[in-house]
C-alpha cells in the first residue's frame, strides 16, 4: 500500500483510539468501586443504547472481515455464517434474554447457582466462560494482525505481532479503568461507525452494478472460476460426507452458540428490567439483521470486482477482502478516493476489533473474579475486592489472548469464531437451558453438563484438521489428527446435553423444589430480580 494509505489510515486509527481512551478516562473519574458499577454499568442503559451496544459487541471482526472474505472465496457456502449468526438471535430472544436478566446478577454462573450448590457450579461455569472468551479473543487478534499487515503492504511478521500486542494492551486499559460503562459507550460508537461504513460500501457496490443484484451475482460467479457452482451449495462443504457433516456441525454451532456467549449474556444485566432486556434484543436483531444482509453484498461484490485470486493473494483466508473492495470502489490504489475509503474501512475494522475485545475481556475477567476467585479463595483469609481481582484478571487474559493470537495468525477469523461458538453451545447452553426449564436438574447434572460439553469440544478441536495434518493447520508440520471435522459442534453439543441428563439421573441429590419454584417465578415475572 502507498504511503498515503498508511498515513490516512493510521491517522484515523489514532483518532478512534484517542476518542475511546478519552471515554475511558472520563468514565474512570466516576466511582467504579462497586461490582454492580464495574460489571453492569450501574444498570443504567436504555434498551436502545443497550441494543446498539449488543450489536457493537456481536458485529465483530469475524463478521466484517471474515464472513465477507469467505463469501468472496467460496460463494454460497460462505453465507452460512451470515445466516447462522442472524438466526441465532431468535434463540436468544425466545429462550434466554428475559429469563437470564431476571435470574442472574453479572455472569452465566449466577443463573445456574441460584438453585444449585454454588461452589462446584461457579467453578465449572467460570472455567467454561473464560475458555470461550479466550477463543473469541484470538479471532479478534488475528483480524487486527491481518488488517495492519495489509495496511503496511504485508511487510514482515513484526508489524502483525506488534499490532496484536497493541490491541491487547488497549483492551486491558479499557476494561481495568473503565469497566462496563466505558466498554458500552465504546461499543455504541463502534456500532454506529461500522453500520455507517457498511451501508456506504453496500450502496457503492450496488451502484457499480446499477442496482442489479442478479448481475452482481453472475459477475461474481464468472470471475470466481467456478461458474454457477459458486452460487450453489457445496463448493466448500459438499465434496464428501465429511464436508457435509462439517456443514451441519458449523450450522449447529452458529445457531446455538450465541445464547451461550458470556459477553452477550452479560449485556442483559446492564439494563434495569427484564422488559428492557427483551427490547434491547429487538433493537439488536434489527441492527444485526441489516448488517449481515449487507455482508452478503460485500462478499459477492469482492468476488465480482476484486476476484477470489486477488483476495487469496493478499490473505490466504480472505480476511482482507473488504479493505481491498473499498480500495477498488474508491477508484483504485493511486487515487484520493481509494485512499480515503480504504483508510476509513481499515479504521472502522480496527475500531470493531478494539470494541469487541473490550467486551469479551470484561466478561471473562468478571467470570474469573465473580465465579472462580470467589469460589476458590481460602476461607478465613482477607478477601480482596472482586473489582480489584477482575482488573488483575484482565491483564492475565490479555496476555493469553496475545500469545494465542500470534500463534493462530494465518487462520480465517470467521472460522475461529465458529470454534468459539461450538464450545459455547456445547458447554454453556445445556446447563443454562436445563437450569431454566428442568425441574429435576441437580448440581451434579450442572457440573457434568459444563465439563461434558467443554472437554469434548476442546479435545476434538485439538485432534481436528484445524490444529494438525494439513497445510492450513496451526501446526502444518505435525499430524496427530484423529477427528475428521473442523468444527466439533455436531458431536460436542449433544454430548453436553447428554452429560447434563446423565449427571442428574445418577445424582443422589434430591432436587430442591422450593428453589426451582423461586427461580421459575423470578425468571418469568422478575419478582425479586436484582
Amino acid at each position: 500500500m502507498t504511503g498515503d494509505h498508511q498515513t490516512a489510515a493510521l491517522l484515523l486509527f489514532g483518532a478512534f483510539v484517542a476518542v475511546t481512551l478519552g471515554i475511558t478516562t472520563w468514565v474512570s473519574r466516576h466511582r467504579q468501586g462497586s461490582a454492580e458499577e464495574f460489571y453492569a454499568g450501574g444498570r443504567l442503559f436504555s434498551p436502545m443504547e443497550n441494543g446498539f451496544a449488543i450489536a457493537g459487541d456481536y458485529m465483530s471482526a469475524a463478521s466484517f472481515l471474515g464472513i465477507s472474505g469467505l463469501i468472496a472465496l467460496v460463494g454460497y457456502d460462505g453465507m452460512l455464517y451470515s445466516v447462522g449468526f442472524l438466526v441465532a438471535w431468535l434463540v436468544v430472544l425466545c429462550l434466554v434474554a428475559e429469563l437470564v436478566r431476571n435470574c442472574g446478577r453479572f455472569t452465566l454462573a449466577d443463573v445456574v447457582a441460584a438453585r444449585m450448590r454454588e461452589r462446584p457450579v461457579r467453578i465449572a461455569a467460570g472455567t467454561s466462560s473464560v475458555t470461550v472468551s479466550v477463543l473469541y479473543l484470538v479471532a479478534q487478534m488475528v483480524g487486527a494482525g491481518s488488517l495492519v499487515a495489509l495496511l503496511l503492504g504485508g511487510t514482515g511478521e513484526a508489524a502483525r505481532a506488534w499490532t496484536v500486542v497493541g490491541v491487547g494492551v488497549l483492551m486491558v486499559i479499557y476494561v481495568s479503568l473503565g469497566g462496563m460503562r466505558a466498554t458500552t459507550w465504546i461499543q455504541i460508537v463502534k456500532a454506529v461507525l461500522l453500520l455507517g461504513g457498511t451501508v456506504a460500501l453496500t450502496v457503492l457496490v450496488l451502484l457499480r452494478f446499477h442496482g442489479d443484484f442478479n448481475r452482481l451475482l453472475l459477475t461474481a460467479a464468472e470471475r470466481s472460476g467456478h461458474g454457477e457452482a459458486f452460487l450453489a451449495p457445496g463448493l466448500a462443504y459438499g465434496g464428501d460426507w465429511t464436508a457435509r457433516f462439517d456443514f451441519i456441525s458449523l450450522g449447529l454451532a452458529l445457531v446455538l452458540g450465541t445464547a451461550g456467549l458470556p459477553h452477550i449474556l452479560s449485556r442483559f444485566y446492564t439494563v434495569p428490567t427484564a422488559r428492557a432486556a427483551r427490547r434491547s434484543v429487538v433493537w439488536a436483531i434489527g441492527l444485526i439483521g441489516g448488517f449481515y444482509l449487507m455482508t452478503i453484498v460485500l462478499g459477492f461484490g469482492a468476488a465480482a470486482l476484486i476476484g477470489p485470486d486477488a483476495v487469496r493473494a493478499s490473505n490466504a483466508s480472505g480476511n482482507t477482502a473488504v479493505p481491498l473492495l473499498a480500495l477498488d470502489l474508491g477508484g483504485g490504489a493511486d487515487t484520493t478516493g481509494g485512499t480515503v475509503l480504504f483508510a476509513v474501512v481499515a479504521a472502522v475494522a480496527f475500531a470493531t476489533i478494539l470494541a469487541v475485545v473490550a467486551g469479551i475481556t470484561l466478561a471473562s475477567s468478571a467470570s474469573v473474579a465473580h465465579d472462580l476467585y470467589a469460589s476458590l479463595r481460602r476461607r478465613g483469609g482477607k478477601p480482596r475486592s472482586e473489582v480489584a481481582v477482575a482488573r488483575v484478571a484482565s491483564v492475565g487474559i490479555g496476555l493469553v489472548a496475545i500469545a494465542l493470537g500470534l500463534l493462530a495468525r494465518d487462520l480465517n477469523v470467521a472460522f475461529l469464531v465458529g470454534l468459539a461458538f461450538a464450545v459455547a453451545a456445547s458447554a454453556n447452553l445445556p446447563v443454562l437451558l436445563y437450569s431454566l426449564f428442568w425441574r429435576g436438574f441437580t448440581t451434579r447434572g450442572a457440573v457434568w453438563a459444563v465439563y461434558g460439553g467443554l472437554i469434548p469440544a476442546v479435545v476434538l478441536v485439538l485432534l481436528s484438521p484445524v490444529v494438525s495434518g494439513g497445510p492450513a493447520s496451526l501446526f502444518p508440520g505435525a499430524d496427530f489428527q484423529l477427528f475428521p471435522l473442523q468444527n466439533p459442534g455436531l458431536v460436542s453439543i449433544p454430548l453436553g446435553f447428554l452429560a447434563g441428563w446423565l449427571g442428574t439421573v445418577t445424582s443422589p441429590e434430591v432436587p430442591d423444589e422450593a428453589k426451582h419454584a423461586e427461580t421459575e417465578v423470578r425468571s418469568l415475572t422478575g419478582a425479586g430480580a436484582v
Side-chain angles (χ1 to χ4, degrees):
M1 294 298 159
T2 65
D4 289 341
H5 291 115
Q6 294 180 22
T7 304
L10 289 173
L11 284 173
L12 286 167
F13 283 2
F16 182 79
V17 170
V19 169
T20 53
L21 288 175
I23 291 171
T24 305
T25 304
W26 170 69
V27 169
S28 67
R29 293 177 180 173
H30 294 74
R31 186 174 62 86
Q32 294 282 326
S34 72
E36 184 170 295
E37 183 68 36
F38 187 79
Y39 296 145
R43 311 191 201 278
L44 298 174
F45 293 98
S46 69
M48 185 181 76
E49 290 169 343
N50 198 43
F52 269 88
I54 290 172
D57 224 347
Y58 195 68
M59 298 182 304
S60 65
S63 305
F64 191 51
L65 302 176
I67 293 176
S68 300
L70 280 175
I71 293 173
L73 296 181
V74 300
Y76 184 97
D77 281 4
M79 289 198 302
L80 174 64
Y81 285 89
S82 291
V83 174
F85 284 145
L86 178 54
V87 171
W89 276 101
L90 300 179
V91 178
V92 176
L93 178 62
C94 297
L95 289 180
V96 302
E98 187 174 356
L99 307 183
V100 165
R101 172 62 189 84
N102 282 336
C103 288
R105 292 183 67 221
F106 307 123
T107 64
L108 164 71
D110 288 335
V111 180
V112 184
R115 50 179 292 218
M116 309 290 175
R117 293 201 315 275
E118 283 205 31
R119 193 167 187 268
V121 167
R122 286 194 181 278
I123 292 171
T127 302
S128 172
S129 295
V130 171
T131 304
V132 172
S133 298
V134 168
L135 274 173
Y136 211 116
L137 278 172
V138 170
Q140 312 310 315
M141 299 294 196
V142 171
S146 299
L147 191 67
V148 173
L150 175 66
L151 178 66
L152 300 178
T155 55
E157 296 296 319
R160 295 171 73 177
W162 281 110
T163 302
V164 169
V165 173
V167 170
V169 170
L170 283 170
M171 78 185 188
V172 170
I173 292 172
Y174 295 148
V175 172
S176 59
L177 293 182
M180 179 59 85
R181 190 170 295 184
T183 300
T184 299
W185 283 112
I186 290 168
Q187 286 160 347
I188 291 170
V189 171
K190 167 258 172 144
V192 172
L193 290 174
L194 181 60
L195 286 166
T198 309
V199 167
L201 287 180
T202 302
V203 169
L204 289 173
V205 168
L206 292 175
L207 285 176
R208 185 71 69 91
F209 291 91
H210 307 290
D212 189 343
F213 188 66
N214 189 51
R215 185 179 161 203
L216 165 63
L217 294 178
L218 293 175
T219 306
E222 182 182 344
R223 188 85 183 266
S224 72
H226 297 287
E228 292 184 0
F230 192 70
L231 305 178
L235 196 60
Y237 295 105
D240 53 26
W241 279 105
T242 300
R244 293 173 191 177
F245 280 127
D246 230 338
F247 183 85
I248 297 169
S249 188
L250 177 62
L252 277 173
L254 296 181
V255 170
L256 299 177
T258 301
L261 290 176
H263 66 291
I264 297 297
L265 294 175
S266 67
R267 291 239 54 93
F268 300 137
Y269 300 126
T270 62
V271 289
T273 64
R275 182 169 180 267
R278 189 173 63 250
R279 289 173 59 200
S280 297
V281 176
V282 173
W283 271 99
I285 287 175
L287 297 169
I288 291 166
F291 172 77
Y292 282 118
L293 289 175
M294 291 186 286
T295 61
I296 295 172
V297 176
L298 298 185
F300 283 113
L305 299 175
I306 309 298
D309 292 339
V311 171
R312 200 174 278 110
S314 172
N315 182 276
S317 300
N319 294 333
T320 54
V322 173
L324 290 173
L325 176 64
L327 192 63
D328 184 86
L329 291 171
D334 299 319
T335 64
T336 301
T339 299
V340 170
L341 197 56
F342 173 88
V344 168
V345 167
V348 166
F350 197 68
T352 294
I353 291 163
L354 289 179
V356 172
V357 297
I360 302 167
T361 306
L362 180 61
S364 51
S365 61
S367 291
V368 170
H370 187 61
D371 299 328
L372 296 177
Y373 169 74
S375 299
L376 293 173
R377 69 178 176 84
R378 282 187 290 180
R379 303 290 182 242
K382 183 180 179 182
R384 294 183 63 184
S385 161
E386 259 191 36
V387 174
V389 174
R391 288 180 168 134
V392 173
S394 68
V395 177
I397 290 162
L399 292 174
V400 172
I402 288 169
L404 292 175
L406 294 174
L407 186 66
R409 59 184 176 269
D410 293 323
L411 295 180
N412 182 280
V413 288
F415 171 74
L416 284 169
V417 166
L419 297 181
F421 273 59
V423 177
S426 304
N428 292 347
L429 186 63
V431 71
L432 183 60
L433 294 183
Y434 279 149
S435 297
L436 291 172
F437 299 111
W438 188 7
R439 182 181 299 275
F441 199 42
T442 63
T443 302
R444 178 189 284 182
V447 173
W448 283 26
V450 173
Y451 292 129
L454 176 64
I455 294 172
V458 173
V459 169
L460 290 176
V461 168
L462 293 176
L463 298 178
S464 74
V466 175
V467 176
S468 70
S473 303
L474 274 179
F475 302 106
D479 188 1
F480 45 87
Q481 173 199 337
L482 297 175
F483 182 64
L485 304 184
Q486 293 191 336
N487 192 291
L490 186 62
V491 175
S492 58
I493 294 172
L495 283 178
F497 281 99
L498 178 62
W501 173 81
L502 192 61
T504 298
V505 298
T506 61
S507 173
E509 177 186 353
V510 178
D512 191 325
E513 295 284 341
K515 281 190 176 180
H516 175 267
E518 180 185 341
T519 301
E520 189 173 39
V521 170
R522 177 185 292 182
S523 66
L524 295 174
T525 66
V530 177

